[in-house]
Amino acid sequence: MSAPETHSFQAEVKQVLDIVIHSLYTDREIFVRELISNAADALEKLRFHQKAGEPLADDDLELGISIRVDPSVPSISFTDTGIGMNRDELVENLGTIAHSGSKQFLRQIAEAKEHSLDLIGQFGVGFYSAFMVAKSVSVYSRSFRPGDTGWHWESDGSGTYTIAPETGLRRGTRIVVRLKDEFKSFADPENLGRIIKRYSNFVPFPITLDDTRINTIGAIWAHNKSEVSREEYDEFYKFISHDFDSPRFHLHFTADAPLAIRALLFVPGKNLEKFGFTRLEPEVALHCKKVLIQPKAPGLLPEWLRFLRGVVDSEDLPLNISRESMQDSALIQKLNKVLTSRFLKFLGDEASRDPNAYHAFYDEFGICLKEGAAADHTHRDALAKLLRFPSSASEPNQRTSLADYVTRMPADQKEIYFLVAPTREEALASPYYEVFAKRHLEVLFPDEPWDEVVLERIGSFDGKRILPAEKAELDLPESSDAPAALSDDDARLVANFIKEALGDRVDEVRISRRLADSPAAVAEGEAYLTASMRRMLKSMKRDEEGIPPLRPHLEINPRHPIIHGLARARTQRPDLAAPVAEQLLDQALIAAGLHEHPGTMIRRLNSLIEKLLTEPAPSAPQPDGQPFSIKT
Ligand code: ADP
Ligand code: MG
C-alpha cells in the first residue's frame, strides 16, 4: 500500500475547525446528530440511485446505520451503507466547502458567540462538529459506483489531513471518532444511546448501537395525525431543521385532489433573516412514497415561504423527476399551488383560533407575508387577509386586519385609508391625519417603509380602494366651533403671495379644506410620491436618478391664525411675511418626513425669533386676543 498523502484544508475549513475546536460550547453532543444526519443523507442518495435502477457496488447490503463504541480507546464509529465517497469526493467534501455555508457560519458565530454552534448543521459544515470532541477522525469510505475502490481519510483537525487507499472496504462510509479524554463519556453506551435516540428517531433507516436497534418512528409524515404526539412533531422538526427550539406551528395534512399529497410543514420559532446574517433557503424536502427525491426542492413553495421546513410526499411524482422537463415543472407548480393555499388557509385558521399566537408569528414572519402580497399575484387576496397593521382605532402596539377595518367603516365611507409613519405618535401628529381625526375615520398606520408598496399592490380589499391618507379627497366636516376661515378672496391673495415667495420650491399653493390644526401641508399632484415611498426609492437607488424632483403642492389652512396673520403681514410686514412663507413650507416638509436641508431653515428661524424678541411688542392686543383683526 502506498504511503498516505498529506493535504492542507482550505483556509475557510481551517477557520471553521479552529472555532469548533476552541469553543467553550457545552452541547457538544450535536456531533452525533450531524454524523447521523450525514449517514442518513448518504443512504437517501443511495436509495435514489437504487430506485432509478443503476448498478451498485455491494447491491446486497442492507440500508442502515450501525454505531459502535469502544470505551477502551475511547472511540465511536458510525457506519453507513450509503453512497460513500471516492478519493476526489473525500478531498472535495471534507477538505473544502464549496458553497457559501462556511462564510455565513463564520459571520454568524462572530455575531452571536453564545449559542452559535447549535446551528452548525444548518450551514453545511456539520461534519466538522466531530472535532469538538475528537483527538482525531478517520473516514473510511467506498463509493457506490462499482468501479471505485476504498480510501482512508484522517485528520486531527489541526490544518492538514492524510488520504490513502484502503482495501477490504464495502460500500458506504465508516467514521471513527477518537475521543479526547475529557469527552470519553460519549463512549458510554447508555449515554450515547440516549443521545442517538434524541436525534435519530425519524431517520427512515434502521440505526443500531452495538447491534441494538435504537430508532423506531421513521417517516411520521406518512402516519395519521392522531398517531403522532406533539413531542414527536417537535423532535422531528428539530431533527430535520437542526434547530434547538421547538417549532412555532406545524401543519400536517393529506390531500387527494388534484394530487395525492402528504405534507408536514413547520414554521420555526425565529426568523433568522430578521437578524440580517443570512438569507434563508427554501428547505422543504420532496419525497415520493417515502423516498427522498430532493432535500431542498426548488419551486415546491413560493420564495416568500422560504422559512418553512418540512416534508412533502406525493405518490404522483415520477422518481426521476427533473426540474427541466416541462411536464415535471407543471407538476411542481401544481404542488406549489396546493401547498401554498393550504398553508395560507391554515394561517387564517390559526389567526382566528389563537390571535396572540398569530401575532407572535406575525412579528417574526409578517415581513414574508408582505413580500408575498407585493410579489405574488396568485395568492395576493389570501395574503391580504393575513396582514395586520397598527391603526388609529386599535390600541397602541396592537394591529388590525383589513377585514376588521372594513367592519368598522361607517356606511358612507368608500375607501380604506392608511398613513405610513415610523411610529404611532408621528402618524397621529401628521397634518394628513387631521381631517380623519375630525371626521372620526379610521386610518391604518403601517410602520414599515415597504408597507406602502404592499398596500398599493393589494390595491383594494372587499371592493374598497386602499388609499394613502395624503391622497384622500376629504373635506373637514362643517362645525360651529372651528375658527372662521379667511374670505375666498383673501385666501387667494395669501396663496398667490406664498407662491411668489417660494417660487420654484413649490408647484402650486392651494387652499385646503382638510387641514384642522396645521397651518399648511405638502402634497403632490397626480404622480404623487408619499414620503415613505420616496425614502424607500432613495434607499434602493444610489443616485437620485429616476426619482421625481420634490416640487410639492403646498396646501394652506384658511382657518389657521398663522395664515390669518400672514394675510395681514403680507402688506404690513413684508420683512416677516416672506420668511414666514418659507418657514411654512419647511415645516410642512418636516411634518411629511421630506425635509432634507435643515441648515437653512434653522438660520431663517433664528432670524425670525430674533426679530420677534428684539422688536417692541404691538401696542395693545385686540379684544379677541389676536394681535391683528380677522376678516370673516
Ligand atoms: P452537509 O451535510 O450540510 O453537506 P457536512 O459538513 O455535514 O455538510 O458534510 C459535508 C459533505 O461530506 C456532505 O455534503 C457529503 O457530501 C459528505 N459526507 C459527509 N458524511 C458522509 C457520509 N457518511 N457518506 C457520504 N458522504 C458524506
Ligand atoms: Mg451534514
Side-chain angles (χ1 to χ4, degrees), residues 389-429:
F389 297 103
S391 154
S392 60
S394 63
E395 298 293 316
N397 303 322
Q398 300 283 311
R399 298 197 192 89
T400 187
S401 65
L402 290 166
D404 285 345
Y405 179 107
V406 168
T407 60
R408 289 187 291 262
M409 282 168 70
D412 58 344
Q413 184 182 341
K414 300 281 177 285
E415 291 157 337
I416 296 171
Y417 303 109
F418 71 91
L419 178 56
V420 181
T423 65
R424 183 183 186 82
E425 288 66 37
E426 281 166 82
L428 288 170

Side-chain angles (χ1 to χ4, degrees), residues 309-469:
R309 298 291 176 261
V311 174
V312 174
D313 196 321
S314 173
E315 45 187 86
D316 293 336
L317 293 172
L319 252 186
N320 57 350
I321 187 162
S322 78
R323 256 180 286 161
E324 288 74 36
S325 140
M326 284 305 276
Q327 203 196 342
D328 293 346
S329 69
L331 261 177
I332 296 283
Q333 273 173 29
K334 224 188 247 179
L335 267 177
N336 180 318
K337 210 164 164 190
V338 174
L339 292 168
T340 307
S341 310
R342 187 64 186 75
F343 179 69
L344 294 182
K345 178 179 175 302
F346 165 79
L347 285 182
D349 294 345
E350 285 303 303
S352 40
R353 197 180 61 81
D354 185 349
N356 289 336
Y358 182 74
H359 280 130
F361 157 80
Y362 194 85
D363 281 338
E364 288 293 320
F365 297 102
I367 184 163
C368 301
L369 301 185
K370 288 176 185 175
E371 184 183 324
D376 193 334
H377 179 74
T378 321
H379 299 284
R380 190 165 289 152
D381 290 349
L383 281 162
K385 294 188 186 131
L386 293 169
L387 299 186
R388 301 289 184 269
F389 297 103
S391 154
S392 60
S394 63
E395 298 293 316
N397 303 322
Q398 300 283 311
R399 298 197 192 89
T400 187
S401 65
L402 290 166
D404 285 345
Y405 179 107
V406 168
T407 60
R408 289 187 291 262
M409 282 168 70
D412 58 344
Q413 184 182 341
K414 300 281 177 285
E415 291 157 337
I416 296 171
Y417 303 109
F418 71 91
L419 178 56
V420 181
T423 65
R424 183 183 186 82
E425 288 66 37
E426 281 166 82
L428 288 170
S430 162
Y432 307 114
Y433 180 61
E434 290 169 5
V435 66
F436 296 93
K438 295 281 176 197
R439 294 186 61 155
H440 305 290
L441 293 176
E442 178 172 355
V443 180
L444 298 174
F445 293 151
D447 51 3
E448 295 182 312
W450 43 81
D451 284 338
E452 176 152 5
V453 177
V454 172
L455 286 166
E456 197 155 85
R457 291 278 171 84
I458 295 174
S460 67
F461 185 85
D462 202 9
K464 279 118 195 133
R465 267 182 80 195
I466 303 176
L467 265 193

Side-chain angles (χ1 to χ4, degrees), residues 33-35 37-39 41 121 124-127 242:
R33 173 189 72 189
E34 295 306 327
L35 296 185
S37 141
N38 285 348
D41 290 349
V125 291
F127 170 75
H242 302 259

Side-chain angles (χ1 to χ4, degrees), residues 137-150:
V137 175
S138 278
V139 179
Y140 300 89
S141 199
R142 175 164 172 198
S143 158
F144 74 103
R145 281 173 288 258
D148 277 327
T149 52

Side-chain angles (χ1 to χ4, degrees), residues 38-39 41-42 45 80 84-85 93-94 121 124-128 173 175:
N38 285 348
D41 290 349
K45 289 175 194 160
D80 66 68
M85 288 174 272
N93 297 341
L94 306 184
V125 291
F127 170 75
Y128 305 109
T173 303
I175 298 186

Side-chain angles (χ1 to χ4, degrees), residues 51-180:
K51 297 266 172 181
E54 292 175 33
L56 306 176
D58 294 325
D59 207 358
D60 56 318
L61 275 182
E62 301 227 356
L63 301 191
I65 302 168
S66 117
I67 301 170
R68 293 186 172 277
V69 293
D70 185 344
S72 67
V73 179
S75 71
I76 312 174
S77 67
F78 300 78
T79 306
D80 66 68
T81 51
I83 53 164
M85 288 174 272
N86 61 23
R87 184 186 173 284
D88 291 348
E89 287 163 336
L90 282 164
V91 170
E92 175 76 23
N93 297 341
L94 306 184
T96 66
I97 311 170
H99 44 86
S100 62
S102 62
K103 283 204 194 75
Q104 283 189 15
F105 177 73
L106 293 168
R107 182 148 32 101
Q108 195 245 336
I109 290 240
E111 275 162 33
K113 296 222 157 46
E114 286 284 306
H115 300 289
S116 33
L117 291 182
D118 298 355
L119 302 174
I120 187 162
Q122 289 181 11
F123 295 93
V125 291
F127 170 75
Y128 305 109
S129 66
F131 290 95
M132 289 200 293
V133 297
K135 252 194 293 219
S136 70
V137 175
S138 278
V139 179
Y140 300 89
S141 199
R142 175 164 172 198
S143 158
F144 74 103
R145 281 173 288 258
D148 277 327
T149 52
W151 294 89
H152 174 198
W153 179 104
E154 183 172 338
S155 177
D156 61 3
S158 65
T160 60
Y161 59 89
T162 59
I163 196 158
E166 180 83 20
T167 52
L169 296 181
R170 302 201 72 191
R171 184 194 72 216
T173 303
R174 182 161 83 253
I175 298 186
V176 181
V177 179
R178 280 174 220 92
L179 296 166
K180 288 181 187 157

